Amino acid sequence: MYSIGIDIGSQATKSVVINDKKEIIATDVVLTGGNNSRSANTTYENVINKASLSKEDITKVVTTGYGRENAQAEKNS
């Protein structure tokens, strides 16, 4: 079981994958630019790849930060 947290800031969007033991598996940072959804989805894809996981391995995605209400990372896109 893995969860992803995404923090969408005005300058950078950061993500982290944690396992059920609350251990950090992978992290990623991208520039937010003018599109919160795109940066959230980019860092989501990047962090999954860094962790060598598939989208089906992810059980929860949580967003926070400046752009959290304007963006949704697609869990199974």
Side-chain angles (χ1 to χ4, degrees):
M1 178 167 82
Y2 298 91
S3 300
I4 295 180
I6 301 174
D7 177 26
I8 306 164
S10 61
Q11 297 292 315
T13 300
K14 292 82 62 187
S15 62
V16 62
V17 175
I18 61 171
N19 62 19
D20 56 348
K21 297 176 188 172
K22 299 183 182 174
E23 298 168 322
I24 295 172
I25 304 304
T27 63
D28 188 64
V29 179
V30 298
L31 294 177
T32 300
N35 190 319
N36 296 334
S37 291
R38 185 175 351 171
S39 64
N41 284 318
T42 298
T43 195
Y44 174 80
E45 295 285 340
N46 291 350
V47 81
I48 286 175
N49 290 332
K50 287 181 177 182
S52 298
L53 299 172
S54 69
K55 292 178 182 180
E56 291 75 24
D57 295 321
I58 308 304
T59 57
K60 182 185 274 188
V61 177
V62 177
T63 58
T64 189
Y66 172 82
R68 72 189 174 280
E69 294 178 14
N70 297 325
Q72 284 191 339
E74 300 270 339
K75 180 176 176 276
N76 292 311
S77 63

